[in-house]
Amino acid sequence: MKFTEIQEKEFIDAGNGKMLGFVSDAKISKENGMIEAFLVAQPKKMLDLFSSDSSTITIAIQDIHVVGKDVVLVKRGN
């Protein structure tokens, strides 16, 4: 799968169905060149639309449960 294809998918928390956001970047391992995690930009709330402060969350590869046609389901360890 190309990186641009994963950027088009919504990341959804499988536990509560909440949209986490879309991929903005990835963390790559220096040792083997494999993707370790995705940086997901959280959707902006109405009051944050004019703010340049964008918050991101890190989703580890092992937390990805299912990659579907339009969404990625994430089971985050608590």
Side-chain angles (χ1 to χ4, degrees):
M1 175 177 291
K2 295 179 184 178
F3 184 73
T4 55
E5 293 172 355
I6 199 80
Q7 285 182 302
E8 296 171 353
K9 298 179 187 295
E10 289 182 37
F11 275 59
I12 306 290
D13 188 322
N16 61 15
K18 181 180 174 185
M19 179 182 172
L20 299 173
F22 291 91
V23 170
S24 60
D25 206 351
K27 287 187 179 182
I28 309 293
S29 170
K30 291 180 183 179
E31 289 80 32
N32 61 18
M34 301 292 288
I35 295 175
E36 293 179 342
F38 289 111
L39 300 176
V40 175
Q42 294 179 313
K44 289 188 175 264
K45 295 183 174 55
M46 196 60 153
L47 296 175
D48 295 335
L49 286 176
F50 302 108
S51 171
S52 62
D53 186 29
S54 64
S55 57
T56 60
I57 56 174
T58 302
I59 305 293
I61 288 295
Q62 59 267 23
D63 290 342
I64 293 176
H65 186 62
V66 175
V67 177
K69 181 181 177 215
D70 298 320
V71 299
V72 176
L73 293 180
V74 177
K75 274 192 169 181
R76 299 174 73 188
N78 292 344

Coordinates of all heavy atoms in Angstrom, one line a residue:
M1 N 0.8 -1.2 0.0 CA 0.0 0.0 0.0 C 0.9 1.2 0.0 O 1.9 1.3 0.7 CB -0.9 0.0 1.2 CG -1.7 1.2 1.4 SD -2.8 1.2 2.8 CE -4.0 0.0 2.3
K2 N 0.5 2.2 -0.8 CA 1.3 3.5 -0.9 C 0.9 4.4 0.3 O -0.2 4.3 0.8 CB 0.9 4.2 -2.2 CG 1.4 3.5 -3.4 CD 1.0 4.2 -4.6 CE 1.4 3.5 -5.9 NZ 1.0 4.2 -7.1
F3 N 1.8 5.2 0.7 CA 1.6 6.1 1.8 C 0.4 7.0 1.5 O -0.4 7.4 2.4 CB 2.9 6.9 2.1 CG 2.7 7.8 3.3 CD1 2.7 7.3 4.6 CD2 2.6 9.2 3.2 CE1 2.5 8.1 5.7 CE2 2.5 10.0 4.3 CZ 2.4 9.4 5.6
T4 N 0.3 7.5 0.3 CA -0.8 8.4 -0.1 C -2.1 7.7 0.1 O -3.1 8.4 0.3 CB -0.6 8.9 -1.5 OG1 -0.5 7.8 -2.4 CG2 0.6 9.8 -1.7
E5 N -2.2 6.4 -0.1 CA -3.5 5.7 0.1 C -3.9 5.6 1.5 O -5.0 5.7 1.9 CB -3.3 4.2 -0.5 CG -3.2 4.2 -2.0 CD -2.9 2.8 -2.5 OE1 -2.7 1.9 -1.7 OE2 -2.8 2.7 -3.8
I6 N -2.9 5.4 2.4 CA -3.2 5.4 3.9 C -3.6 6.8 4.4 O -4.4 6.9 5.3 CB -2.1 4.8 4.7 CG1 -2.6 4.3 6.1 CG2 -0.9 5.7 4.9 CD1 -3.2 3.0 6.1
Q7 N -3.1 7.8 3.7 CA -3.5 9.2 4.1 C -4.9 9.5 3.8 O -5.5 10.4 4.5 CB -2.6 10.2 3.4 CG -1.2 10.3 4.0 CD -0.4 11.3 3.2 OE1 -0.2 11.3 2.0 NE2 0.1 12.3 4.0
E8 N -5.5 8.8 2.9 CA -6.9 9.1 2.5 C -7.9 8.4 3.4 O -9.1 8.6 3.4 CB -7.2 8.6 1.1 CG -6.3 9.4 0.1 CD -6.4 8.9 -1.3 OE1 -7.0 7.8 -1.5 OE2 -5.9 9.6 -2.2
K9 N -7.4 7.5 4.3 CA -8.3 6.7 5.2 C -8.5 7.4 6.5 O -7.6 7.9 7.1 CB -7.8 5.3 5.4 CG -7.7 4.5 4.1 CD -7.1 3.1 4.3 CE -6.8 2.4 3.0 NZ -8.0 2.1 2.2
E10 N -9.8 7.3 7.1 CA -10.0 7.8 8.4 C -9.5 6.8 9.4 O -9.8 5.6 9.3 CB -11.5 8.0 8.6 CG -12.2 9.1 7.8 CD -13.6 9.2 8.2 OE1 -14.0 9.0 9.3 OE2 -14.4 9.5 7.2
F11 N -8.9 7.2 10.5 CA -8.5 6.3 11.6 C -9.6 6.4 12.6 O -9.9 7.5 13.1 CB -7.1 6.8 12.1 CG -6.0 6.2 11.4 CD1 -5.8 6.4 10.0 CD2 -5.0 5.4 12.1 CE1 -4.7 5.9 9.4 CE2 -4.0 4.8 11.4 CZ -3.8 5.1 10.0
I12 N -10.1 5.2 13.0 CA -11.2 5.2 13.9 C -10.8 4.3 15.1 O -10.2 3.2 14.9 CB -12.5 4.5 13.2 CG1 -12.9 5.2 11.9 CG2 -13.7 4.4 14.2 CD1 -13.4 6.6 12.1
D13 N -11.2 4.7 16.3 CA -10.9 4.0 17.5 C -12.0 2.8 17.6 O -13.2 3.1 17.6 CB -11.1 4.8 18.8 CG -10.7 4.2 20.0 OD1 -11.0 2.9 20.2 OD2 -10.1 4.8 20.9
A14 N -11.5 1.6 17.5 CA -12.4 0.4 17.5 C -13.2 0.3 18.8 O -14.2 -0.3 18.8 CB -11.6 -0.8 17.2
G15 N -12.7 0.8 19.9 CA -13.3 0.7 21.2 C -14.6 1.5 21.3 O -15.6 1.1 21.9
N16 N -14.6 2.7 20.8 CA -15.7 3.6 21.0 C -16.2 4.2 19.7 O -17.2 5.0 19.7 CB -15.3 4.8 21.9 CG -14.2 5.6 21.5 OD1 -13.8 5.6 20.3 ND2 -13.6 6.4 22.4
G17 N -15.6 3.9 18.5 CA -16.1 4.4 17.3 C -15.8 5.8 17.0 O -16.2 6.4 15.9
K18 N -15.0 6.5 17.8 CA -14.6 7.9 17.6 C -13.6 8.0 16.5 O -12.6 7.3 16.4 CB -14.0 8.4 18.9 CG -13.7 9.9 18.9 CD -13.1 10.3 20.2 CE -12.6 11.7 20.2 NZ -11.9 12.1 21.4
M19 N -13.8 9.0 15.7 CA -12.8 9.3 14.6 C -11.6 10.0 15.3 O -11.7 10.9 16.0 CB -13.4 10.3 13.6 CG -12.4 10.6 12.5 SD -13.1 11.8 11.4 CE -11.7 12.2 10.4
L20 N -10.4 9.4 14.9 CA -9.2 9.9 15.5 C -8.5 10.9 14.6 O -7.9 11.8 15.0 CB -8.2 8.7 15.7 CG -8.7 7.7 16.7 CD1 -7.7 6.5 16.7 CD2 -8.8 8.3 18.1
G21 N -8.8 10.8 13.2 CA -8.2 11.7 12.3 C -7.6 11.1 11.1 O -7.9 9.9 10.8
F22 N -6.8 11.8 10.4 CA -6.1 11.3 9.2 C -4.6 11.3 9.4 O -4.1 12.2 10.1 CB -6.5 12.2 7.9 CG -7.9 12.0 7.5 CD1 -8.9 12.9 8.0 CD2 -8.3 11.1 6.6 CE1 -10.2 12.8 7.6 CE2 -9.6 10.9 6.2 CZ -10.6 11.8 6.7
V23 N -3.9 10.5 8.7 CA -2.4 10.4 8.8 C -1.8 11.7 8.2 O -2.2 12.1 7.1 CB -1.9 9.2 8.0 CG1 -0.4 9.2 7.9 CG2 -2.3 7.9 8.7
S24 N -0.9 12.2 9.0 CA -0.2 13.4 8.5 C 1.3 13.1 8.3 O 2.0 13.8 7.5 CB -0.3 14.6 9.5 OG 0.2 14.2 10.7
D25 N 1.8 12.0 8.9 CA 3.2 11.7 8.8 C 3.4 10.3 9.4 O 2.5 9.7 9.9 CB 4.1 12.7 9.6 CG 5.5 12.8 9.1 OD1 5.9 12.0 8.2 OD2 6.2 13.7 9.6
A26 N 4.7 9.8 9.3 CA 5.0 8.5 9.8 C 6.3 8.5 10.5 O 7.2 9.3 10.1 CB 5.0 7.4 8.6
K27 N 6.5 7.6 11.5 CA 7.8 7.4 12.1 C 8.4 6.2 11.5 O 7.8 5.1 11.5 CB 7.6 7.2 13.6 CG 7.3 8.5 14.4 CD 7.3 8.2 15.8 CE 6.9 9.5 16.6 NZ 7.0 9.3 18.0
I28 N 9.7 6.3 11.0 CA 10.4 5.2 10.3 C 11.5 4.8 11.2 O 12.3 5.6 11.8 CB 10.9 5.7 9.0 CG1 9.9 6.4 8.2 CG2 11.6 4.6 8.2 CD1 8.8 5.5 7.7
S29 N 11.7 3.4 11.3 CA 12.8 2.9 12.1 C 14.1 3.1 11.3 O 14.2 2.9 10.1 CB 12.6 1.4 12.2 OG 13.8 0.8 12.7
K30 N 15.1 3.6 12.1 CA 16.5 3.8 11.5 C 17.2 2.5 11.2 O 18.0 2.4 10.3 CB 17.3 4.7 12.4 CG 16.8 6.1 12.6 CD 17.7 6.9 13.5 CE 17.2 8.3 13.7 NZ 18.1 9.0 14.6
E31 N 16.8 1.5 12.0 CA 17.5 0.2 11.8 C 17.1 -0.6 10.6 O 17.9 -1.1 9.9 CB 17.3 -0.7 13.1 CG 18.0 -0.2 14.3 CD 17.3 0.9 15.0 OE1 16.0 1.0 15.0 OE2 18.0 1.8 15.6
N32 N 15.8 -0.6 10.3 CA 15.3 -1.5 9.3 C 14.5 -0.7 8.2 O 14.0 -1.4 7.2 CB 14.5 -2.7 9.8 CG 13.3 -2.3 10.6 OD1 12.8 -1.2 10.5 ND2 12.8 -3.2 11.4
G33 N 14.2 0.5 8.4 CA 13.5 1.3 7.4 C 12.0 1.0 7.4 O 11.3 1.5 6.5
M34 N 11.5 0.3 8.4 CA 10.0 0.0 8.4 C 9.3 1.1 9.2 O 9.8 1.7 10.1 CB 9.8 -1.4 9.1 CG 10.5 -2.5 8.5 SD 9.8 -3.0 6.9 CE 8.3 -3.7 7.4
I35 N 8.0 1.2 8.9 CA 7.2 2.2 9.6 C 6.9 1.7 11.0 O 6.4 0.5 11.1 CB 5.9 2.4 8.8 CG1 6.1 3.1 7.5 CG2 4.9 3.3 9.6 CD1 4.9 3.3 6.6
E36 N 7.1 2.5 12.0 CA 6.9 2.1 13.4 C 5.5 2.6 13.9 O 4.9 2.0 14.7 CB 8.0 2.7 14.3 CG 9.3 2.1 14.1 CD 10.4 2.7 15.0 OE1 10.2 3.8 15.5 OE2 11.4 2.0 15.1
A37 N 5.2 3.8 13.4 CA 3.9 4.5 13.8 C 3.5 5.5 12.8 O 4.3 6.0 12.0 CB 4.1 5.1 15.2
F38 N 2.2 5.8 12.9 CA 1.6 6.9 12.1 C 1.3 8.1 13.0 O 0.8 7.9 14.1 CB 0.4 6.5 11.4 CG 0.6 5.5 10.2 CD1 0.2 4.2 10.3 CD2 1.2 5.9 9.1 CE1 0.4 3.3 9.3 CE2 1.5 5.0 8.0 CZ 1.1 3.7 8.2
L39 N 1.5 9.3 12.5 CA 1.1 10.5 13.2 C -0.2 10.9 12.6 O -0.3 11.1 11.4 CB 2.2 11.6 13.1 CG 3.5 11.3 13.6 CD1 4.5 12.4 13.3 CD2 3.5 11.0 15.1
V40 N -1.2 10.9 13.5 CA -2.6 11.2 13.0 C -3.0 12.6 13.5 O -3.0 12.8 14.7 CB -3.6 10.1 13.5 CG1 -5.0 10.4 13.1 CG2 -3.1 8.8 12.9
A41 N -3.4 13.4 12.6 CA -3.9 14.8 12.9 C -5.3 14.7 13.4 O -6.2 14.2 12.6 CB -3.7 15.7 11.7
Q42 N -5.6 15.1 14.6 CA -6.9 15.0 15.1 C -7.8 16.1 14.4 O -7.4 17.1 14.1 CB -6.9 15.3 16.6 CG -6.2 14.2 17.4 CD -6.2 14.5 18.9 OE1 -5.9 15.6 19.3 NE2 -6.5 13.5 19.6
P43 N -9.1 15.7 14.2 CA -10.0 16.6 13.5 C -10.2 17.9 14.4 O -10.3 17.8 15.6 CB -11.3 15.9 13.4 CG -11.2 14.7 14.3 CD -9.7 14.5 14.5
K44 N -10.2 19.0 13.7 CA -10.4 20.3 14.4 C -11.9 20.5 14.8 O -12.8 20.1 14.1 CB -10.0 21.5 13.5 CG -8.5 21.5 13.3 CD -8.2 22.8 12.6 CE -6.7 23.0 12.4 NZ -6.1 23.8 13.5
K45 N -12.0 21.1 16.0 CA -13.3 21.4 16.5 C -13.7 22.8 15.9 O -12.8 23.5 15.5 CB -13.4 21.4 18.0 CG -13.1 20.0 18.5 CD -13.2 20.0 20.0 CE -13.2 18.6 20.6 NZ -12.0 17.8 20.2
M46 N -14.9 23.2 16.0 CA -15.4 24.4 15.4 C -14.6 25.6 15.9 O -14.2 26.5 15.1 CB -16.9 24.6 15.7 CG -17.5 25.6 14.8 SD -17.4 25.1 13.1 CE -18.8 25.9 12.4
L47 N -14.3 25.7 17.2 CA -13.6 26.8 17.7 C -12.1 26.9 17.4 O -11.5 27.9 17.5 CB -13.8 26.9 19.3 CG -15.2 27.1 19.7 CD1 -15.3 27.0 21.3 CD2 -15.8 28.4 19.3
D48 N -11.6 25.7 17.0 CA -10.2 25.6 16.7 C -9.9 25.8 15.2 O -8.8 25.7 14.8 CB -9.7 24.2 17.0 CG -9.7 23.9 18.5 OD1 -9.7 24.9 19.3 OD2 -9.8 22.8 18.9
L49 N -10.9 26.1 14.4 CA -10.7 26.3 12.9 C -9.7 27.3 12.6 O -9.0 27.2 11.6 CB -12.0 26.6 12.2 CG -13.0 25.4 12.1 CD1 -14.3 25.8 11.5 CD2 -12.4 24.2 11.3
F50 N -9.6 28.4 13.4 CA -8.8 29.5 13.0 C -7.4 29.5 13.8 O -6.6 30.3 13.6 CB -9.5 30.8 13.3 CG -10.7 31.0 12.5 CD1 -12.0 30.9 13.2 CD2 -10.7 31.2 11.2 CE1 -13.1 31.0 12.4 CE2 -11.9 31.3 10.4 CZ -13.1 31.2 11.1
S51 N -7.2 28.4 14.5 CA -6.0 28.2 15.3 C -5.0 27.4 14.4 O -5.4 26.5 13.7 CB -6.3 27.4 16.6 OG -5.1 27.1 17.2
S52 N -3.7 27.8 14.4 CA -2.7 27.1 13.7 C -2.1 25.9 14.5 O -1.3 25.2 14.0 CB -1.6 28.1 13.3 OG -1.0 28.6 14.4
D53 N -2.6 25.8 15.7 CA -2.1 24.7 16.6 C -2.8 23.4 16.3 O -4.0 23.3 16.7 CB -2.3 25.1 18.1 CG -1.6 24.2 19.0 OD1 -0.6 23.5 18.6 OD2 -2.2 24.1 20.1
S54 N -2.2 22.5 15.6 CA -2.8 21.3 15.3 C -2.2 20.2 16.2 O -1.0 20.0 16.3 CB -2.6 20.9 13.8 OG -1.2 20.7 13.5
S55 N -3.1 19.4 16.8 CA -2.7 18.3 17.7 C -2.6 17.0 16.9 O -3.5 16.8 16.1 CB -3.6 18.3 18.9 OG -4.9 18.0 18.5
T56 N -1.6 16.2 17.2 CA -1.5 14.9 16.6 C -1.4 13.9 17.6 O -0.9 14.1 18.8 CB -0.3 14.8 15.7 OG1 0.9 15.1 16.4 CG2 -0.3 15.8 14.5
I57 N -1.8 12.6 17.3 CA -1.6 11.5 18.2 C -0.7 10.5 17.4 O -0.7 10.5 16.2 CB -2.9 10.9 18.6 CG1 -3.8 10.5 17.4 CG2 -3.7 11.8 19.5 CD1 -5.1 9.8 17.8
T58 N 0.0 9.7 18.2 CA 0.8 8.6 17.6 C 0.1 7.3 17.7 O -0.3 6.9 18.8 CB 2.2 8.6 18.3 OG1 2.8 9.9 18.2 CG2 3.1 7.6 17.6
I59 N 0.0 6.6 16.5 CA -0.7 5.3 16.5 C 0.4 4.3 16.1 O 0.9 4.3 15.0 CB -1.8 5.3 15.4 CG1 -2.9 6.3 15.7 CG2 -2.4 3.9 15.4 CD1 -3.6 6.2 16.9
A60 N 0.8 3.4 17.0 CA 1.8 2.4 16.7 C 1.2 1.4 15.8 O 0.0 1.1 15.8 CB 2.2 1.7 18.0
I61 N 2.1 0.8 14.9 CA 1.7 -0.2 13.9 C 1.0 -1.3 14.6 O 0.0 -1.8 14.1 CB 2.9 -0.6 13.1 CG1 3.4 0.5 12.2 CG2 2.6 -1.9 12.4 CD1 2.4 0.8 11.1
Q62 N 1.4 -1.8 15.8 CA 0.8 -2.9 16.4 C -0.6 -2.6 16.9 O -1.3 -3.5 17.3 CB 1.7 -3.5 17.5 CG 2.1 -2.5 18.6 CD 3.4 -1.8 18.4 OE1 3.9 -1.7 17.2 NE2 4.0 -1.3 19.4
D63 N -1.0 -1.3 17.0 CA -2.3 -1.0 17.5 C -3.3 -1.0 16.3 O -4.5 -0.9 16.6 CB -2.3 0.4 18.1 CG -1.6 0.4 19.5 OD1 -1.4 -0.6 20.0 OD2 -1.2 1.5 19.9
I64 N -2.9 -1.1 15.1 CA -3.8 -1.1 14.0 C -4.4 -2.5 13.9 O -3.7 -3.5 13.8 CB -3.0 -0.8 12.7 CG1 -2.6 0.7 12.7 CG2 -4.0 -1.0 11.5 CD1 -1.8 1.1 11.5
H65 N -5.7 -2.5 14.0 CA -6.5 -3.8 14.0 C -6.9 -4.3 12.6 O -6.7 -5.4 12.2 CB -7.7 -3.6 14.9 CG -8.4 -4.9 15.2 ND1 -7.9 -6.0 15.8 CD2 -9.7 -5.2 14.9 CE1 -8.8 -6.9 15.9 NE2 -9.9 -6.5 15.3
V66 N -7.5 -3.3 11.8 CA -8.0 -3.7 10.5 C -7.8 -2.5 9.6 O -8.0 -1.3 10.0 CB -9.5 -4.0 10.5 CG1 -10.1 -4.2 9.1 CG2 -9.8 -5.2 11.4
V67 N -7.3 -2.7 8.4 CA -7.2 -1.7 7.4 C -8.3 -2.0 6.3 O -8.2 -3.0 5.6 CB -5.9 -1.7 6.7 CG1 -5.8 -0.6 5.6 CG2 -4.8 -1.4 7.7
G68 N -9.3 -1.2 6.3 CA -10.5 -1.4 5.4 C -10.3 -0.5 4.1 O -9.3 0.1 3.9
K69 N -11.4 -0.6 3.3 CA -11.4 0.2 2.1 C -11.3 1.7 2.4 O -10.6 2.4 1.7 CB -12.7 -0.1 1.3 CG -12.8 0.6 0.0 CD -14.0 0.3 -0.7 CE -14.1 1.1 -2.0 NZ -15.4 1.5 -2.4
D70 N -12.1 2.2 3.4 CA -12.2 3.6 3.7 C -11.6 4.0 5.0 O -11.4 5.2 5.3 CB -13.6 4.1 3.6 CG -14.2 3.9 2.2 OD1 -13.5 4.2 1.2 OD2 -15.4 3.5 2.1
V71 N -11.5 3.0 5.9 CA -11.1 3.4 7.3 C -10.1 2.4 7.8 O -9.9 1.3 7.3 CB -12.3 3.3 8.3 CG1 -13.4 4.3 7.9 CG2 -12.9 2.0 8.4
V72 N -9.4 2.8 8.9 CA -8.4 2.0 9.6 C -8.9 1.9 11.0 O -9.1 2.9 11.7 CB -7.0 2.6 9.6 CG1 -6.1 1.8 10.4 CG2 -6.5 2.7 8.1
L73 N -9.2 0.7 11.5 CA -9.7 0.5 12.9 C -8.4 0.3 13.8 O -7.6 -0.5 13.5 CB -10.6 -0.7 13.0 CG -11.9 -0.6 12.3 CD1 -12.7 -1.8 12.5 CD2 -12.7 0.6 12.8
V74 N -8.4 1.1 14.9 CA -7.3 1.1 15.8 C -7.8 0.6 17.2 O -8.8 1.1 17.7 CB -6.7 2.5 15.9 CG1 -5.6 2.6 16.9 CG2 -6.3 3.0 14.6
K75 N -7.0 -0.4 17.7 CA -7.3 -0.8 19.1 C -6.1 -0.3 19.9 O -5.0 -0.9 19.9 CB -7.4 -2.3 19.2 CG -8.8 -2.8 18.9 CD -8.8 -4.3 19.3 CE -10.3 -4.8 19.3 NZ -10.4 -6.2 19.7
R76 N -6.3 0.7 20.7 CA -5.2 1.3 21.4 C -5.1 0.7 22.8 O -6.1 0.5 23.5 CB -5.4 2.8 21.6 CG -5.4 3.5 20.2 CD -5.8 4.9 20.3 NE -4.6 5.6 20.8 CZ -4.7 6.9 21.2 NH1 -5.8 7.6 21.1 NH2 -3.6 7.5 21.7
G77 N -3.8 0.3 23.2 CA -3.6 -0.3 24.5 C -3.7 0.8 25.5 O -3.2 1.9 25.4
N78 N -4.5 0.5 26.6 CA -4.6 1.5 27.7 C -3.8 1.1 28.9 O -3.7 0.1 29.3 CB -6.1 1.6 28.0 CG -6.9 2.3 26.9 OD1 -6.3 2.8 26.0 ND2 -8.2 2.1 27.0

